[in-house]
Amino acid sequence: MNTPCFIVVGYNNVRIYDVAKIRVEAQKYFDAKVVLITEKKTASDEQFADLVIETTLEVTQLPASADVVHQYLATESLSPIGILPFSDRGVPLGALLAQKNRLPGALPEQAKAGLDKQIFRQLDTRASFHPAGYRTVTSQPVTSLNELKDLVDSLGGKAFIKPAKEGNSRGCQVIEYIEQCESIWASLAPYREAGILVESLIENAKEFSWDSVAGKQWITEKHTTEGHYRAEYQQVVPACLTPADEILLRSAGEHMRELVSSSNGAWHNEIFLLPGATAAVETNMRPAGMHIWDLAMLSFENFNPWLLWLRWAAEGKYTAEPLKQNYYSGIRMLRARVSGTLQALPDVEQLALQAGITLHEASFSAKIGDILNGEIKTNADFIGHIILRDSSHEQLLNSLETLATAIESAAEIS
């Protein structure tokens, strides 16, 4: 008799810690194993999954990768009971595996929009309906420096440029004047083969995400660095909104979901909010990063998104019942004040105690001796994070700012 298993398809960066959470829930509630599919094994992967399969996630190789997975499962006497696409690159293979095993999931054709941002823009532009206040964003691929300059000129001399098939803010840059095009185009060399998109620059807007799992949904408040590069440094769950703005954002998030796939289980749709209007940043057919699901667990009563996702993957249950809020919860990424070598890290618990702040979690990703970058280009440039919660939104923001400033000031960098 085969052993039941959930298949986690891909993971981004350090999110192996979330695979560990999935494994705990799978064992406790389903008596099932967890199989992790990754493009390149690391030394720690096998500590967090029962079986690790190494195979390519390239879209052109999906049938071959599905065959590799099938062979491993047969050898290990494992039967999949749920497919969990866990990275943007893992979404297409996850959809194919769900289809082959007759399990809940987006259709393979729909899943392409979860990886290729250009496909989503095309779907949005061609849509026969858009919610009230929703604006489409001009988005075009460019294949040369001259194309880039011409397009930026047509957009008024300003634009936003990003790789078509990357996440984690990799390569995302603001073009503030045409003279920057040459250096920016050179910096995007690693991403050009997979495609580069240039979009109209949305200014003076706030950014949020519409997060959803198996029908349960909430709005996450996002804070992004200013300047040439854009990286998210703070998330708050749930966002503190006027009723009108909440309606705008929920309508935009649902619209993005319906454009792509009504049968996908987890969403992280990023949205700009302007006065009386919204515009899509991008759609993500997988769980949010930066501990957003963990923040939701802290903020909402009796809510376990990881278990809910497993139940959706196994049973396809989708319930849109509202969540009951108890707290606001937030994560703040920690930065290096200057570029240089990390010499020492402070005692975060002591700093929190001195400031009268209740600390839920603190973690450093940087280690003594690491070379740090004072300019945040992607999320990988942060040195750690803190997580707090409070019944007051204003107090939570104040505490995140106060404690983060104290920690960053106390870190010794030469």
Side-chain angles (χ1 to χ4, degrees):
M1 183 177 177
N2 285 357
T3 302
C5 71
F6 287 93
I7 300 179
V8 177
V9 191
Y11 72 89
N12 291 327
N13 305 306
V14 297
R15 294 196 67 186
I16 193 68
Y17 57 74
D18 284 335
V19 177
K21 296 169 192 169
I22 292 169
R23 188 185 191 189
V24 168
E25 304 296 339
Q27 290 174 338
K28 181 176 180 181
Y29 291 96
F30 296 89
D31 195 23
K33 304 289 186 183
V34 166
V35 175
L36 174 63
I37 300 175
T38 181
E39 292 188 277
K40 188 174 182 180
K41 287 184 185 180
T42 69
S44 62
D45 286 348
E46 292 182 347
Q47 299 175 33
F48 299 98
D50 299 289
L51 174 66
V52 180
I53 300 173
E54 188 176 89
T55 189
T56 180
L57 297 177
E58 286 293 334
V59 174
T60 56
Q61 301 297 316
L62 293 184
S65 293
D67 288 342
V68 169
V69 174
H70 176 75
Q71 291 165 11
Y72 267 97
L73 296 179
T75 300
E76 299 294 329
S77 297
L78 294 169
S79 292
I81 61 170
I83 310 296
L84 305 170
F86 197 48
S87 70
D88 296 323
R89 285 180 60 80
V91 166
L93 179 58
L96 181 60
L97 291 172
Q99 184 185 61
K100 283 182 173 292
N101 290 280
R102 298 182 180 180
L103 291 167
L107 297 175
E109 280 300 308
Q110 297 170 334
K112 292 177 181 178
L115 176 61
D116 191 329
K117 298 173 177 64
Q118 186 179 352
I119 293 175
F120 171 75
R121 290 298 189 206
Q122 292 169 345
L123 290 170
D124 201 13
T125 300
R126 298 169 187 164
S128 59
F129 166 82
H130 293 95
Y134 183 91
R135 301 180 185 177
T136 57
V137 174
T138 299
S139 179
Q140 289 183 231
V142 293
T143 58
S144 71
L145 176 58
N146 286 336
E147 277 188 24
L148 173 60
K149 288 180 177 179
D150 289 344
L151 183 52
V152 172
D153 184 53
S154 72
L155 292 172
K158 290 185 177 183
F160 190 73
I161 190 167
K162 62 185 179 182
K165 299 180 183 180
E166 288 290 334
N168 198 34
S169 302
R170 283 185 291 271
C172 295
Q173 299 177 59
V174 174
I175 300 174
E176 296 177 294
Y177 44 88
I178 289 179
E179 288 75 13
Q180 289 180 312
C181 287
E182 191 165 341
S183 61
I184 288 175
W185 184 249
S187 73
L188 291 170
Y191 309 109
R192 287 187 215 153
E193 185 177 350
I196 301 294
L197 295 180
V198 175
E199 301 184 342
S200 49
L201 182 63
I202 305 294
E203 298 184 279
N204 303 315
K206 294 180 179 179
E207 194 171 343
F208 297 84
S209 63
W210 179 85
D211 293 291
S212 174
V213 54
K216 298 288 194 299
Q217 57 178 274
W218 66 93
I219 305 295
T220 301
E221 174 185 320
K222 310 170 84 65
H223 298 252
T224 305
T225 56
E226 297 293 332
H228 183 63
Y229 296 95
R230 299 292 171 91
E232 297 168 15
Y233 71 89
Q234 184 167 287
Q235 313 278 357
V236 173
V237 175
C240 186
L241 297 162
T242 65
D245 283 345
E246 179 147 5
I247 289 172
L248 283 171
L249 288 164
R250 287 187 181 273
S251 297
E254 287 279 11
H255 168 71
M256 294 166 73
R257 169 182 174 265
E258 290 297 331
L259 272 182
V260 179
S261 171
S262 60
S263 59
N264 192 57
W267 291 93
H268 176 59
N269 291 339
E270 297 176 279
I271 306 166
F272 285 123
L273 177 66
L274 301 101
T278 55
V281 179
E282 63 185 33
T283 190
N284 297 284
M285 301 171 71
R286 41 83 179 164
M290 280 184 70
H291 292 274
I292 287 174
W293 279 22
D294 296 335
L295 298 180
M297 288 184 73
L298 290 173
S299 295
F300 301 117
E301 186 175 285
N302 298 323
F303 182 53
N304 184 339
W306 303 106
L307 176 57
L308 204 59
W309 196 31
L310 287 168
R311 285 180 172 157
W312 166 83
E315 304 162 9
K317 289 186 178 178
Y318 191 93
T319 55
E321 296 171 356
L323 295 166
K324 182 179 178 181
Q325 180 190 349
N326 288 336
Y327 296 96
Y328 291 98
S329 302
I331 182 171
R332 176 69 169 258
M333 305 305 290
L334 304 171
R335 320 181 201 194
R337 301 184 330 276
V338 295
S339 298
T341 304
L342 181 61
Q343 302 292 339
L345 290 166
D347 183 332
V348 178
E349 290 187 2
Q350 185 61 32
L351 290 175
L353 187 64
Q354 292 171 359
I357 294 170
T358 301
L359 178 68
H360 177 76
E361 178 181 314
S363 176
F364 288 109
S365 53
K367 299 178 178 60
I368 305 303
D370 284 356
I371 305 299
L372 306 180
N373 190 350
E375 181 181 28
I376 301 298
K377 295 183 178 180
T378 75
N379 292 353
D381 291 319
F382 292 111
I383 64 172
H385 72 264
I386 53 172
I387 292 177
L388 309 176
R389 75 174 179 180
D390 203 291
S391 57
S392 163
H393 178 264
E394 182 180 6
Q395 185 56 51
L396 175 64
L397 295 185
N398 290 338
S399 296
L400 287 167
E401 177 68 22
T402 298
L403 186 55
T405 299
I407 295 167
E408 293 167 357
S409 299
E412 296 179 21
I413 302 169
S414 64

